[in-house]
Amino acid sequence: MAHTQVVIIGAGPSGLLLARLLAMAGVRTVVLERHSRAYVEARIRAGVLEPGTVALLNEAGAGARLQAEGLPHSGFQLAFEEQTHRIDLLALTGQQVTVYGQTEVQKDLGALHLAAGGIIHYEVEAITLRDLAGRQAGVEYLHNGVRERLDCDFVAGCDGAHGVSHQAIPAQAVQRFERVYPVGWLGVLANVPPVSHELVYANHHRGFALCSMRSQTRSRYYIQCAVGDRVDQWSDEQFWNELQCRLPAAMASALITGPSIEKSIAPLRSQVTEPMRYGRLFLVGDAAHIVPPTGAKGLNLAVSDVRFLWEALTGFYQHHDERLLNEYSSRALLRVWQATRFSWWFTALMHRFTDDPAEHRLQVAELLNLAHSRAASQAVAENYIGATF
Ligand code: RFL
Ligand code: PHB
């Protein structure tokens, strides 16, 4: 029977980063991914990396292109009622974030791990987890039409919100906390220069809008849309018109539009699974928790989970010490709930959820308070930069 030390389900950023860090510590892993390499490397998702994320990517040896091409951002803008307020991250926290696409993180980690001889099986089907509560776990799967079984000490469930790992846990063994928001985000990627050199989060009575970017020549924009909207209902022209309408006039007139090269809709929801462990299975990243994207926390939480699990597994293999394995879930959940709270608060501040006019007036009051209070701005800045991990 084939055996490895840790089976990692999912070759997203959390699975690849964990594989890479464990390989550096001499721990043997096999990564099993449902999709092709080309598919996972093309998925457009996150763009904002906290300093702790950048630090761990550097430790993993995956920092070269990130240092060269990542855009350091020392602040971001809040737009509302024809005005903007800058959250000066650097002045308020002494730190900044880095704008670097998740697609690039994914490519850097994949190339690095494979070049160092790491094993990643792509296009694996029908994964079943066995004996998670036993002395040794097993993972069965179909690869190239052949049924395989791999025994292992531990399974890392890095397979996202729709993966098999969290579903393999008996319902009575965990608690799930879920919140569904009544809106979605329609995102467009276009080869046009960004309207602002910093991110702009806009509150408008027609709904939220976000101006982000991937480079000086590639922009990523989002607008709040209805939860049931389909991409084909939104032409490029409709998207640009709606975005323009939700930005302050001076910014809207400076917006450069162009054909979309990607367009997608993401529902907004929040979910936390507690604990993040069941026997030999550890849940990591989106497999354990989802946050609405407003706070830019999802990828950063996935990376902090990886740090905690990597420290725990190396403690176990190098020092026969199970303490950090036993503490993994509680250490990770501290940061998860911090980010869940911030993402919920920021989402509620910036989106239009109801037709109640008081909702918008209360939001504007809170935004004005942020604009006038250094203490309130500092709290936002600290949360955006993220707690140290
Ligand atoms: P992923 O990236 O979903 O990777 C999971 C991998 O597992 C594979 N998989 C399976 N493999 C084998 N067997 C199965 N049964 C499997 N089922 C699934 C999948 O194919 C995939 O390759 O999870 P991971 O690694 O935990 O990473 C999490 C992040 O991807 C996610 O949190 C972020 O993208 C969230 N997010 C953002 N996070 C940030 O930190 N900053 C941002 O600015 C930010 N913006 C965003 C976002 C997410 C968004 N969407 C699409 C929800 C913007 C958007 C619009
Ligand atoms: C992005 O660039 O995709 C992005 C940036 C900030 C967010 C969410 C997404 O809060």
mmCIF file of all heavy atoms in Angstrom, residues 77 170 308 360:
data_model
loop_
_atom_site.group_PDB
_atom_site.id
_atom_site.type_symbol
_atom_site.label_atom_id
_atom_site.label_comp_id
_atom_site.label_asym_id
_atom_site.label_seq_id
_atom_site.Cartn_x
_atom_site.Cartn_y
_atom_site.Cartn_z
ATOM 1 N N GLN A 77 -8.767 54.210 -0.516
ATOM 2 C CA GLN A 77 -9.757 55.286 -0.457
ATOM 3 C C GLN A 77 -11.144 54.743 -0.127
ATOM 4 O O GLN A 77 -11.528 53.678 -0.621
ATOM 5 C CB GLN A 77 -9.862 55.975 -1.838
ATOM 6 C CG GLN A 77 -8.562 56.430 -2.444
ATOM 7 C CD GLN A 77 -8.078 57.757 -1.854
ATOM 8 O OE1 GLN A 77 -8.864 58.539 -1.321
ATOM 9 N NE2 GLN A 77 -6.779 57.996 -1.944
ATOM 10 N N PRO A 170 -18.359 14.077 10.269
ATOM 11 C CA PRO A 170 -19.749 13.851 10.682
ATOM 12 C C PRO A 170 -20.366 15.145 11.225
ATOM 13 O O PRO A 170 -19.701 15.888 11.952
ATOM 14 C CB PRO A 170 -19.619 12.812 11.805
ATOM 15 C CG PRO A 170 -18.245 12.249 11.693
ATOM 16 C CD PRO A 170 -17.394 13.245 10.979
ATOM 17 N N PHE A 308 0.100 28.103 10.817
ATOM 18 C CA PHE A 308 -0.169 27.381 12.072
ATOM 19 C C PHE A 308 -0.042 25.865 11.862
ATOM 20 O O PHE A 308 0.500 25.161 12.719
ATOM 21 C CB PHE A 308 -1.566 27.728 12.610
ATOM 22 C CG PHE A 308 -1.724 29.194 12.965
ATOM 23 C CD1 PHE A 308 -2.879 29.888 12.621
ATOM 24 C CD2 PHE A 308 -0.730 29.880 13.649
ATOM 25 C CE1 PHE A 308 -3.028 31.238 12.948
ATOM 26 C CE2 PHE A 308 -0.872 31.233 13.971
ATOM 27 C CZ PHE A 308 -2.031 31.908 13.616
ATOM 28 N N HIS A 360 -28.868 53.847 4.516
ATOM 29 C CA HIS A 360 -27.854 54.645 3.843
ATOM 30 C C HIS A 360 -27.406 55.819 4.721
ATOM 31 O O HIS A 360 -26.216 56.133 4.811
ATOM 32 C CB HIS A 360 -28.401 55.140 2.499
ATOM 33 C CG HIS A 360 -27.377 55.845 1.678
ATOM 34 N ND1 HIS A 360 -26.247 55.212 1.201
ATOM 35 C CD2 HIS A 360 -27.298 57.137 1.263
ATOM 36 C CE1 HIS A 360 -25.521 56.097 0.536
ATOM 37 N NE2 HIS A 360 -26.124 57.265 0.563
#
